[in-house]
Each structure stands twice: as C-alpha cells, then as structure tokens.
Amino acid sequence: MLVGIPKEIKTHEYRVSAVPAAVRELTRHGHQVMVQKGAGAGIGCSDADYLAAGASLGADAQEVFATADLVVKVKEPQASEFALLRDGQVLFTYLHLAPDPAQANALLERGVTAIAYETVTDARGGLPLLAPMSEVAGRMSIQVGAHCLEKEQGGAGVLLGGVPGVPPGRVAILGGGVVGTNAARMAVGLGARVTIIDRSAARLAQLDEMFAGRVETAYATLDAIEQAVASADLAVGAVLIPGAAAPRLVSRDLVAAMRPGSVVVDVAIDQGGCFATSRPTSHAQPTYVAEGVVHYCVTNMPGAVARTSAFALGHATLPFILALADRGWGPALAENPHLAAGLNVHNGKITHPAVARALGMAYEDAAKFLERFRS
C-alpha cells in the first residue's frame, strides 16, 4: 500500500503524523511511503531523515493526496484539502466531526473512508489514540492557564502556587479522565488548590486515592459545578463523550460570576466546548475575553509542543497504521472491533452513532458492510 504523509496546514500546527522511525517500520513491511517535503521540519525531522528511512518525497499536498491509498494526518482536513480527497481513499486522522458539519459534509461528498483517532477504543474501554494528546493537553492547560493569569495577559495577576502569607490560586477541573488527571498533576505540582468534578463516584474514589488528599473531589451536580467554577482562578474544561458534542456544563451567567481576570481553558473545544462562552481559537490568537474572563480555547493545543506530541502520537498510531496497510482497511476493521470503532464515514454515510446524533444525520451501522470482509 502507498501511505501518504502530508504536511499539516492548520494554523501553527507543527506536528507530523509519522516520524522517520514509523516510516522505516512501514517500508520494512513492504509498503511505500510518500512524505510531503518539509512535513517534519516543525519537529526537527528533515527530508533527508525521511529519505534515509525509505520514504519518497512529494513536492506538495496535491501529489501526496493524489498518490496515496491511505492518507495519515494529525488534524482534520482543512477546507483547502477537501478537494484533494478522492472516492475510495482512506483517511486516518483526528476528525472531531460532532461540531463540524462542514467537514462532515465534505467527507461524505468526497466518498472517502474516514477513520478517526479519537473514537478508536481498546479492550479496557479507553481511547488509546486520544490518550497521548489528552495527556499533553491536560498538562498544557495548567501551563497556559497560569500564563494567562498574569496581569499583562489580561489575567487577575494570580500566582497559582501562592507564596508564604498569600494563599494559592484555586483550580476547578471539570472531568476526571485523562485530561483532568494530567491537569490536576500539574496544578498540584505548582501548589494550587485543586477541585476535580466528575459524574463517576468510582472515578472520584480513584482520584482521591491517587492524589492522597492533595485535591478535593466533588460529584458533578449543578451546585458543585457552580461553587467550584465561581470561586476558581482557573477553570479547566476536561469533559469528553466519545464522538459526541461536549456537554455545556457552564452557563454564561456562571462565567460572569467568576472574578474578573480569571481564566477558562476549554480543552473540550475540539468537540464544541463545555463552557457557554467558548469559541474555537488558534495559536495565532489563542485568547479572548468574555464576561471579564480570559478564555483559551485553542483547538490544537498539543501542536504548540509539536516534537513531544508527534512522537507520543506516533507511538500510539503506528500499530493501527500497520494494520490498515498490511491487511487493507476492510479486513483490518473486520478483525479488530476497537479499530472499527474509529470508522466515522464510509461510502457517503456516517457510521458512528454518536457522531450521527450530534450532527443530526442518518446513521449506518458499519457492521453491515464489514461482514463481507470477515473470513
């Protein structure tokens, strides 16, 4: 199979979907890999590195998309890339279709088979291709939140860790999953007072044991959310319903109740955001102020730490890329229900139920056409 690795073009997106070591593995399995010139420059991987690993170089995105059977990306195709997709081509990347009907319609119209990293599952009920970037985004949420709290950034001038005689800042984290846990680790490390809110009592018990009393936990009631957010210097949105739009947990009125200069970091913005005041931003213009509160809602947060992110993502995706290339997308999905859970679009149909519900579109059960690939 010919695997295409285009250069990412989303604003200030420096990651690449395959590092040279991954290319070497693919070529060792007998596949051809075409990497767009300069695709790895943002993480310090040169064209010469890719050539040494066995890749060929594509002059531009048009050549890569036109040649590849399987296109592997990091971020969802941008509007200028829609026309490059073709009928029967397989696209493997983060899609986040729930809040993006324009992209969904483009994928349906182009006839591609689109497999989303963020809905691939594992035997433990986790999301193995979302997890590494959730770890990065969770840790970054405190890093960028602390920066946004600085006065020259529009914040209230609060040091999260405080100093002797001055209390530390308060951090409210909505969601105790991978993002929330990693955000809490960073916030605790800085010395902040941290509250984690989650709707799973079992998960709250795990977090309580994990942090050994260094965080407060609260069950996700309206009262708990209101109390934690209204008193927070930094509120982090870390909720996730796989494939679906993020629930709006925080109203505009509640944001307005926060102290002026407080900060919201909505990591759930990829799925629409969980604050009523959230709207997508980019690394070029990462923040805005709404209701007196600084909002950081960058949709590709891990792109800011591209080298760390690209290697972490590449380690996670490589086994799945190899499966798709070695077996072909149909047999690979038919043999692996966890990879099949990543299928979002095929043959002009939405094939993930949560995505279909979020978009208000018809859903087609992938099991119907995957059956023919089962031996």
Tab-separated table of all heavy atoms in Angstrom, residues 293-354:
chain	number	residue	atom	x	y	z
A	293	VAL	N	-13.671	37.382	31.708
A	293	VAL	CA	-12.838	36.204	31.954
A	293	VAL	C	-12.009	35.891	30.708
A	293	VAL	O	-12.537	35.884	29.591
A	293	VAL	CB	-13.709	34.987	32.330
A	293	VAL	CG1	-12.871	33.711	32.435
A	293	VAL	CG2	-14.438	35.258	33.649
A	294	VAL	N	-10.718	35.635	30.901
A	294	VAL	CA	-9.844	35.276	29.789
A	294	VAL	C	-10.125	33.828	29.373
A	294	VAL	O	-10.118	32.925	30.213
A	294	VAL	CB	-8.362	35.425	30.182
A	294	VAL	CG1	-7.457	35.035	29.007
A	294	VAL	CG2	-8.062	36.851	30.634
A	295	HIS	N	-10.379	33.624	28.081
A	295	HIS	CA	-10.663	32.288	27.547
A	295	HIS	C	-9.533	31.834	26.629
A	295	HIS	O	-9.143	32.558	25.707
A	295	HIS	CB	-11.970	32.294	26.745
A	295	HIS	CG	-13.204	32.400	27.573
A	295	HIS	ND1	-13.469	33.471	28.401
A	295	HIS	CD2	-14.276	31.553	27.685
A	295	HIS	CE1	-14.652	33.285	28.984
A	295	HIS	NE2	-15.147	32.126	28.570
A	296	TYR	N	-9.039	30.626	26.871
A	296	TYR	CA	-8.058	29.976	25.993
A	296	TYR	C	-8.742	28.743	25.425
A	296	TYR	O	-9.040	27.792	26.165
A	296	TYR	CB	-6.813	29.597	26.787
A	296	TYR	CG	-5.710	28.923	25.983
A	296	TYR	CD1	-4.596	29.640	25.567
A	296	TYR	CD2	-5.779	27.572	25.655
A	296	TYR	CE1	-3.574	29.031	24.837
A	296	TYR	CE2	-4.771	26.953	24.924
A	296	TYR	CZ	-3.672	27.692	24.521
A	296	TYR	OH	-2.667	27.081	23.798
A	297	CYS	N	-9.027	28.761	24.124
A	297	CYS	CA	-9.813	27.687	23.505
A	297	CYS	C	-9.169	27.235	22.200
A	297	CYS	O	-9.837	27.112	21.160
A	297	CYS	CB	-11.241	28.157	23.247
A	297	CYS	SG	-12.144	28.721	24.704
A	298	VAL	N	-7.897	26.969	22.225
A	298	VAL	CA	-7.160	26.543	21.035
A	298	VAL	C	-7.526	25.095	20.709
A	298	VAL	O	-7.454	24.216	21.574
A	298	VAL	CB	-5.639	26.694	21.245
A	298	VAL	CG1	-4.868	26.132	20.057
A	298	VAL	CG2	-5.290	28.165	21.468
A	299	THR	N	-7.892	24.857	19.459
A	299	THR	CA	-8.389	23.530	19.081
A	299	THR	C	-7.289	22.510	18.832
A	299	THR	O	-7.583	21.321	18.699
A	299	THR	CB	-9.257	23.632	17.819
A	299	THR	OG1	-8.499	24.263	16.778
A	299	THR	CG2	-10.520	24.434	18.087
A	300	ASN	N	-6.053	22.968	18.744
A	300	ASN	CA	-4.947	22.022	18.573
A	300	ASN	C	-3.824	22.351	19.557
A	300	ASN	O	-2.676	22.581	19.187
A	300	ASN	CB	-4.422	22.008	17.138
A	300	ASN	CG	-3.909	23.366	16.665
A	300	ASN	OD1	-4.417	24.410	17.069
A	300	ASN	ND2	-2.896	23.360	15.812
A	301	MET	N	-4.188	22.333	20.830
A	301	MET	CA	-3.232	22.689	21.880
A	301	MET	C	-1.902	21.952	21.776
A	301	MET	O	-0.834	22.565	21.869
A	301	MET	CB	-3.848	22.457	23.263
A	301	MET	CG	-4.915	23.453	23.658
A	301	MET	SD	-5.662	23.057	25.265
A	301	MET	CE	-4.261	23.251	26.374
A	302	PRO	N	-1.896	20.612	21.577
A	302	PRO	CA	-0.609	19.906	21.568
A	302	PRO	C	0.322	20.328	20.444
A	302	PRO	O	1.520	20.021	20.484
A	302	PRO	CB	-1.028	18.434	21.421
A	302	PRO	CG	-2.407	18.377	21.993
A	302	PRO	CD	-3.032	19.670	21.553
A	303	GLY	N	-0.203	21.018	19.428
A	303	GLY	CA	0.655	21.490	18.347
A	303	GLY	C	1.702	22.468	18.811
A	303	GLY	O	2.728	22.669	18.143
A	304	ALA	N	1.490	23.095	19.947
A	304	ALA	CA	2.469	24.054	20.479
A	304	ALA	C	3.722	23.354	20.990
A	304	ALA	O	4.794	23.962	21.055
A	304	ALA	CB	1.844	24.886	21.590
A	305	VAL	N	3.594	22.104	21.388
A	305	VAL	CA	4.748	21.313	21.829
A	305	VAL	C	4.875	20.141	20.847
A	305	VAL	O	4.743	18.973	21.194
A	305	VAL	CB	4.599	20.838	23.291
A	305	VAL	CG1	4.781	22.010	24.245
A	305	VAL	CG2	3.229	20.198	23.540
A	306	ALA	N	5.156	20.517	19.611
A	306	ALA	CA	4.996	19.608	18.479
A	306	ALA	C	5.891	18.378	18.558
A	306	ALA	O	5.459	17.273	18.201
A	306	ALA	CB	5.252	20.371	17.176
A	307	ARG	N	7.117	18.557	18.977
A	307	ARG	CA	8.032	17.396	18.978
A	307	ARG	C	7.565	16.341	19.977
A	307	ARG	O	7.436	15.155	19.631
A	307	ARG	CB	9.460	17.835	19.267
A	307	ARG	CG	10.458	16.691	19.147
A	307	ARG	CD	11.903	17.149	19.248
A	307	ARG	NE	12.816	16.013	19.230
A	307	ARG	CZ	13.298	15.422	18.137
A	307	ARG	NH1	12.944	15.883	16.945
A	307	ARG	NH2	14.120	14.388	18.219
A	308	THR	N	7.307	16.758	21.206
A	308	THR	CA	6.794	15.817	22.202
A	308	THR	C	5.512	15.161	21.705
A	308	THR	O	5.346	13.933	21.791
A	308	THR	CB	6.530	16.545	23.530
A	308	THR	OG1	7.756	17.053	24.048
A	308	THR	CG2	5.904	15.608	24.551
A	309	SER	N	4.608	15.967	21.173
A	309	SER	CA	3.302	15.462	20.751
A	309	SER	C	3.412	14.500	19.580
A	309	SER	O	2.740	13.455	19.550
A	309	SER	CB	2.393	16.633	20.378
A	309	SER	OG	2.152	17.458	21.487
A	310	ALA	N	4.232	14.835	18.594
A	310	ALA	CA	4.325	13.993	17.391
A	310	ALA	C	4.884	12.620	17.725
A	310	ALA	O	4.407	11.601	17.216
A	310	ALA	CB	5.186	14.681	16.337
A	311	PHE	N	5.912	12.584	18.572
A	311	PHE	CA	6.465	11.281	18.929
A	311	PHE	C	5.485	10.478	19.781
A	311	PHE	O	5.334	9.264	19.591
A	311	PHE	CB	7.808	11.455	19.644
A	311	PHE	CG	8.955	11.670	18.689
A	311	PHE	CD1	9.317	12.949	18.298
A	311	PHE	CD2	9.658	10.600	18.170
A	311	PHE	CE1	10.367	13.164	17.406
A	311	PHE	CE2	10.715	10.794	17.275
A	311	PHE	CZ	11.071	12.078	16.893
A	312	ALA	N	4.797	11.134	20.704
A	312	ALA	CA	3.819	10.422	21.532
A	312	ALA	C	2.675	9.882	20.693
A	312	ALA	O	2.243	8.732	20.856
A	312	ALA	CB	3.284	11.354	22.620
A	313	LEU	N	2.167	10.705	19.780
A	313	LEU	CA	1.074	10.265	18.920
A	313	LEU	C	1.535	9.151	17.980
A	313	LEU	O	0.825	8.157	17.771
A	313	LEU	CB	0.540	11.443	18.112
A	313	LEU	CG	-0.604	11.137	17.138
A	313	LEU	CD1	-1.827	10.617	17.884
A	313	LEU	CD2	-0.966	12.385	16.336
A	314	GLY	N	2.740	9.310	17.428
A	314	GLY	CA	3.248	8.308	16.500
A	314	GLY	C	3.409	6.935	17.122
A	314	GLY	O	3.130	5.908	16.485
A	315	HIS	N	3.845	6.895	18.384
A	315	HIS	CA	3.975	5.606	19.074
A	315	HIS	C	2.616	4.921	19.200
A	315	HIS	O	2.513	3.696	19.111
A	315	HIS	CB	4.571	5.813	20.465
A	315	HIS	CG	5.970	6.340	20.441
A	315	HIS	ND1	6.526	7.029	21.499
A	315	HIS	CD2	6.934	6.286	19.493
A	315	HIS	CE1	7.761	7.372	21.193
A	315	HIS	NE2	8.036	6.943	19.982
A	316	ALA	N	1.581	5.713	19.424
A	316	ALA	CA	0.239	5.153	19.613
A	316	ALA	C	-0.398	4.711	18.305
A	316	ALA	O	-1.097	3.687	18.253
A	316	ALA	CB	-0.650	6.181	20.311
A	317	THR	N	-0.201	5.483	17.244
A	317	THR	CA	-0.902	5.204	15.984
A	317	THR	C	-0.230	4.133	15.139
A	317	THR	O	-0.893	3.478	14.332
A	317	THR	CB	-1.040	6.476	15.134
A	317	THR	OG1	0.271	7.016	14.868
A	317	THR	CG2	-1.899	7.513	15.833
A	318	LEU	N	1.077	3.943	15.292
A	318	LEU	CA	1.807	3.053	14.380
A	318	LEU	C	1.206	1.652	14.268
A	318	LEU	O	1.047	1.143	13.148
A	318	LEU	CB	3.282	2.979	14.775
A	318	LEU	CG	4.152	2.076	13.887
A	318	LEU	CD1	4.102	2.517	12.434
A	318	LEU	CD2	5.601	2.051	14.402
A	319	PRO	N	0.853	0.969	15.373
A	319	PRO	CA	0.276	-0.373	15.202
A	319	PRO	C	-0.999	-0.378	14.355
A	319	PRO	O	-1.242	-1.320	13.595
A	319	PRO	CB	-0.017	-0.807	16.646
A	319	PRO	CG	0.891	0.015	17.487
A	319	PRO	CD	0.992	1.332	16.792
A	320	PHE	N	-1.785	0.684	14.459
A	320	PHE	CA	-3.025	0.753	13.691
A	320	PHE	C	-2.750	1.083	12.231
A	320	PHE	O	-3.426	0.568	11.330
A	320	PHE	CB	-3.963	1.789	14.316
A	320	PHE	CG	-4.415	1.431	15.707
A	320	PHE	CD1	-3.769	1.947	16.818
A	320	PHE	CD2	-5.467	0.556	15.908
A	320	PHE	CE1	-4.177	1.610	18.101
A	320	PHE	CE2	-5.888	0.207	17.188
A	320	PHE	CZ	-5.236	0.741	18.284
A	321	ILE	N	-1.775	1.943	11.980
A	321	ILE	CA	-1.398	2.237	10.594
A	321	ILE	C	-0.882	0.971	9.916
A	321	ILE	O	-1.235	0.668	8.767
A	321	ILE	CB	-0.330	3.352	10.550
A	321	ILE	CG1	-0.879	4.653	11.125
A	321	ILE	CG2	0.153	3.582	9.120
A	321	ILE	CD1	0.183	5.732	11.338
A	322	LEU	N	-0.056	0.224	10.633
A	322	LEU	CA	0.454	-1.027	10.074
A	322	LEU	C	-0.674	-2.011	9.788
A	322	LEU	O	-0.678	-2.685	8.748
A	322	LEU	CB	1.462	-1.655	11.036
A	322	LEU	CG	2.836	-0.977	11.115
A	322	LEU	CD1	3.644	-1.553	12.277
A	322	LEU	CD2	3.597	-1.152	9.811
A	323	ALA	N	-1.652	-2.087	10.680
A	323	ALA	CA	-2.782	-2.998	10.458
A	323	ALA	C	-3.562	-2.599	9.207
A	323	ALA	O	-3.920	-3.456	8.391
A	323	ALA	CB	-3.693	-3.001	11.677
A	324	LEU	N	-3.829	-1.302	9.054
A	324	LEU	CA	-4.568	-0.827	7.881
A	324	LEU	C	-3.791	-1.088	6.597
A	324	LEU	O	-4.369	-1.476	5.574
A	324	LEU	CB	-4.871	0.669	8.014
A	324	LEU	CG	-5.876	1.054	9.099
A	324	LEU	CD1	-5.848	2.558	9.326
A	324	LEU	CD2	-7.283	0.599	8.731
A	325	ALA	N	-2.479	-0.870	6.640
A	325	ALA	CA	-1.663	-1.059	5.441
A	325	ALA	C	-1.446	-2.544	5.134
A	325	ALA	O	-1.520	-2.966	3.973
A	325	ALA	CB	-0.319	-0.352	5.620
A	326	ASP	N	-1.196	-3.321	6.155
A	326	ASP	CA	-0.910	-4.752	5.950
A	326	ASP	C	-2.138	-5.523	5.490
A	326	ASP	O	-2.053	-6.376	4.596
A	326	ASP	CB	-0.401	-5.379	7.248
A	326	ASP	CG	1.003	-4.952	7.625
A	326	ASP	OD1	1.692	-4.338	6.788
A	326	ASP	OD2	1.410	-5.223	8.781
A	327	ARG	N	-3.282	-5.233	6.106
A	327	ARG	CA	-4.479	-6.035	5.851
A	327	ARG	C	-5.450	-5.380	4.882
A	327	ARG	O	-6.319	-6.044	4.335
A	327	ARG	CB	-5.211	-6.305	7.182
A	327	ARG	CG	-4.391	-7.045	8.225
A	327	ARG	CD	-4.219	-8.512	7.850
A	327	ARG	NE	-5.502	-9.199	7.908
A	327	ARG	CZ	-5.956	-10.027	6.973
A	327	ARG	NH1	-5.234	-10.259	5.888
A	327	ARG	NH2	-7.121	-10.622	7.112
A	328	GLY	N	-5.308	-4.075	4.685
A	328	GLY	CA	-6.355	-3.333	3.985
A	328	GLY	C	-7.383	-2.882	4.995
A	328	GLY	O	-7.581	-3.546	6.029
A	329	TRP	N	-8.030	-1.738	4.730
A	329	TRP	CA	-8.902	-1.170	5.768
A	329	TRP	C	-10.051	-2.092	6.133
A	329	TRP	O	-10.401	-2.209	7.311
A	329	TRP	CB	-9.426	0.206	5.327
A	329	TRP	CG	-10.506	0.149	4.284
A	329	TRP	CD1	-10.341	0.192	2.929
A	329	TRP	CD2	-11.906	-0.001	4.503
A	329	TRP	NE1	-11.553	0.085	2.289
A	329	TRP	CE2	-12.535	-0.034	3.239
A	329	TRP	CE3	-12.703	-0.102	5.656
A	329	TRP	CZ2	-13.917	-0.161	3.080
A	329	TRP	CZ3	-14.074	-0.231	5.509
A	329	TRP	CH2	-14.675	-0.262	4.232
A	330	GLY	N	-10.647	-2.773	5.148
A	330	GLY	CA	-11.813	-3.619	5.429
A	330	GLY	C	-11.487	-4.780	6.340
A	330	GLY	O	-12.080	-4.934	7.420
A	331	PRO	N	-10.543	-5.653	5.954
A	331	PRO	CA	-10.166	-6.759	6.847
A	331	PRO	C	-9.631	-6.284	8.191
A	331	PRO	O	-9.900	-6.905	9.216
A	331	PRO	CB	-9.083	-7.489	6.033
A	331	PRO	CG	-9.403	-7.186	4.612
A	331	PRO	CD	-9.915	-5.780	4.613
A	332	ALA	N	-8.877	-5.187	8.191
A	332	ALA	CA	-8.324	-4.696	9.466
A	332	ALA	C	-9.435	-4.317	10.431
A	332	ALA	O	-9.374	-4.638	11.627
A	332	ALA	CB	-7.404	-3.501	9.214
A	333	LEU	N	-10.464	-3.635	9.942
A	333	LEU	CA	-11.576	-3.240	10.801
A	333	LEU	C	-12.443	-4.439	11.162
A	333	LEU	O	-12.945	-4.536	12.290
A	333	LEU	CB	-12.426	-2.166	10.118
A	333	LEU	CG	-12.047	-0.710	10.429
A	333	LEU	CD1	-10.624	-0.402	9.982
A	333	LEU	CD2	-13.027	0.252	9.759
A	334	ALA	N	-12.620	-5.358	10.220
A	334	ALA	CA	-13.448	-6.536	10.496
A	334	ALA	C	-12.822	-7.413	11.573
A	334	ALA	O	-13.531	-8.033	12.366
A	334	ALA	CB	-13.645	-7.339	9.208
A	335	GLU	N	-11.495	-7.457	11.613
A	335	GLU	CA	-10.792	-8.298	12.578
A	335	GLU	C	-10.626	-7.627	13.934
A	335	GLU	O	-10.387	-8.303	14.931
A	335	GLU	CB	-9.408	-8.665	12.023
A	335	GLU	CG	-9.458	-9.563	10.802
A	335	GLU	CD	-8.101	-9.675	10.112
A	335	GLU	OE1	-7.107	-9.148	10.674
A	335	GLU	OE2	-8.043	-10.281	9.032
A	336	ASN	N	-10.724	-6.297	13.973
A	336	ASN	CA	-10.443	-5.570	15.210
A	336	ASN	C	-11.587	-4.610	15.518
A	336	ASN	O	-11.663	-3.516	14.954
A	336	ASN	CB	-9.127	-4.788	15.080
A	336	ASN	CG	-8.713	-4.115	16.377
A	336	ASN	OD1	-9.513	-3.926	17.293
A	336	ASN	ND2	-7.460	-3.732	16.464
A	337	PRO	N	-12.496	-4.995	16.404
A	337	PRO	CA	-13.644	-4.122	16.702
A	337	PRO	C	-13.239	-2.786	17.315
A	337	PRO	O	-13.982	-1.805	17.207
A	337	PRO	CB	-14.476	-4.950	17.682
A	337	PRO	CG	-13.512	-5.936	18.284
A	337	PRO	CD	-12.532	-6.238	17.191
A	338	HIS	N	-12.077	-2.729	17.944
A	338	HIS	CA	-11.623	-1.470	18.542
A	338	HIS	C	-11.197	-0.476	17.462
A	338	HIS	O	-11.487	0.716	17.553
A	338	HIS	CB	-10.490	-1.731	19.523
A	338	HIS	CG	-10.880	-2.659	20.634
A	338	HIS	ND1	-11.867	-2.337	21.540
A	338	HIS	CD2	-10.450	-3.904	20.950
A	338	HIS	CE1	-12.012	-3.336	22.396
A	338	HIS	NE2	-11.166	-4.290	22.055
A	339	LEU	N	-10.547	-0.969	16.423
A	339	LEU	CA	-10.222	-0.119	15.284
A	339	LEU	C	-11.491	0.226	14.515
A	339	LEU	O	-11.656	1.360	14.043
A	339	LEU	CB	-9.209	-0.811	14.374
A	339	LEU	CG	-8.735	-0.045	13.140
A	339	LEU	CD1	-8.168	1.313	13.517
A	339	LEU	CD2	-7.700	-0.870	12.372
A	340	ALA	N	-12.409	-0.728	14.426
A	340	ALA	CA	-13.678	-0.472	13.724
A	340	ALA	C	-14.466	0.648	14.384
A	340	ALA	O	-15.212	1.374	13.712
A	340	ALA	CB	-14.515	-1.752	13.681
A	341	ALA	N	-14.294	0.820	15.694
A	341	ALA	CA	-14.987	1.899	16.396
A	341	ALA	C	-14.527	3.271	15.917
A	341	ALA	O	-15.204	4.276	16.135
A	341	ALA	CB	-14.778	1.772	17.895
A	342	GLY	N	-13.372	3.309	15.268
A	342	GLY	CA	-12.870	4.570	14.739
A	342	GLY	C	-13.506	4.982	13.428
A	342	GLY	O	-13.360	6.143	13.009
A	343	LEU	N	-14.212	4.072	12.768
A	343	LEU	CA	-14.807	4.403	11.474
A	343	LEU	C	-15.938	5.410	11.668
A	343	LEU	O	-16.920	5.134	12.337
A	343	LEU	CB	-15.331	3.131	10.795
A	343	LEU	CG	-15.831	3.311	9.356
A	343	LEU	CD1	-14.700	3.727	8.438
A	343	LEU	CD2	-16.470	2.008	8.855
A	344	ASN	N	-15.796	6.570	11.080
A	344	ASN	CA	-16.803	7.632	11.199
A	344	ASN	C	-17.574	7.859	9.909
A	344	ASN	O	-18.746	8.235	9.939
A	344	ASN	CB	-16.145	8.951	11.607
A	344	ASN	CG	-15.855	9.072	13.087
A	344	ASN	OD1	-15.744	10.159	13.629
A	344	ASN	ND2	-15.700	7.940	13.777
A	345	VAL	N	-16.912	7.656	8.772
A	345	VAL	CA	-17.539	7.921	7.470
A	345	VAL	C	-17.117	6.844	6.487
A	345	VAL	O	-15.936	6.495	6.400
A	345	VAL	CB	-17.115	9.309	6.920
A	345	VAL	CG1	-17.698	9.533	5.520
A	345	VAL	CG2	-17.540	10.430	7.847
A	346	HIS	N	-18.094	6.327	5.725
A	346	HIS	CA	-17.787	5.382	4.645
A	346	HIS	C	-18.885	5.439	3.595
A	346	HIS	O	-20.075	5.447	3.918
A	346	HIS	CB	-17.675	3.948	5.179
A	346	HIS	CG	-17.512	2.922	4.100
A	346	HIS	ND1	-16.383	2.848	3.306
A	346	HIS	CD2	-18.350	1.947	3.640
A	346	HIS	CE1	-16.517	1.866	2.432
A	346	HIS	NE2	-17.707	1.310	2.621
A	347	ASN	N	-18.455	5.523	2.358
A	347	ASN	CA	-19.382	5.435	1.229
A	347	ASN	C	-20.530	6.433	1.332
A	347	ASN	O	-21.687	6.111	1.067
A	347	ASN	CB	-19.927	4.006	1.106
A	347	ASN	CG	-20.555	3.739	-0.255
A	347	ASN	OD1	-20.165	4.347	-1.255
A	347	ASN	ND2	-21.537	2.839	-0.292
A	348	GLY	N	-20.210	7.646	1.765
A	348	GLY	CA	-21.222	8.696	1.839
A	348	GLY	C	-22.167	8.581	3.015
A	348	GLY	O	-23.225	9.217	3.017
A	349	LYS	N	-21.798	7.796	4.049
A	349	LYS	CA	-22.647	7.607	5.215
A	349	LYS	C	-21.854	7.862	6.497
A	349	LYS	O	-20.653	7.577	6.565
A	349	LYS	CB	-23.214	6.178	5.260
A	349	LYS	CG	-24.003	5.768	4.031
A	349	LYS	CD	-25.343	6.481	3.946
A	349	LYS	CE	-26.162	5.938	2.774
A	349	LYS	NZ	-27.454	6.648	2.652
A	350	ILE	N	-22.546	8.364	7.523
A	350	ILE	CA	-21.966	8.470	8.854
A	350	ILE	C	-22.109	7.113	9.527
A	350	ILE	O	-23.211	6.556	9.598
A	350	ILE	CB	-22.672	9.547	9.703
A	350	ILE	CG1	-22.530	10.928	9.052
A	350	ILE	CG2	-22.098	9.566	11.125
A	350	ILE	CD1	-21.138	11.495	9.061
A	351	THR	N	-20.996	6.588	10.037
A	351	THR	CA	-21.002	5.224	10.571
A	351	THR	C	-20.688	5.157	12.064
A	351	THR	O	-20.427	4.072	12.587
A	351	THR	CB	-19.982	4.361	9.799
A	351	THR	OG1	-18.697	5.002	9.866
A	351	THR	CG2	-20.390	4.193	8.346
A	352	HIS	N	-20.712	6.295	12.736
A	352	HIS	CA	-20.528	6.301	14.188
A	352	HIS	C	-21.785	6.913	14.803
A	352	HIS	O	-22.153	8.041	14.472
A	352	HIS	CB	-19.299	7.123	14.580
A	352	HIS	CG	-18.904	6.938	16.018
A	352	HIS	ND1	-19.593	7.513	17.067
A	352	HIS	CD2	-17.877	6.220	16.582
A	352	HIS	CE1	-19.024	7.170	18.206
A	352	HIS	NE2	-17.991	6.392	17.948
A	353	PRO	N	-22.462	6.178	15.698
A	353	PRO	CA	-23.764	6.652	16.184
A	353	PRO	C	-23.709	7.991	16.903
A	353	PRO	O	-24.586	8.838	16.708
A	353	PRO	CB	-24.231	5.524	17.116
A	353	PRO	CG	-22.992	4.739	17.456
A	353	PRO	CD	-22.110	4.855	16.258
A	354	ALA	N	-22.693	8.214	17.738
A	354	ALA	CA	-22.619	9.480	18.478
A	354	ALA	C	-22.376	10.647	17.539
A	354	ALA	O	-22.923	11.744	17.742
A	354	ALA	CB	-21.517	9.405	19.535
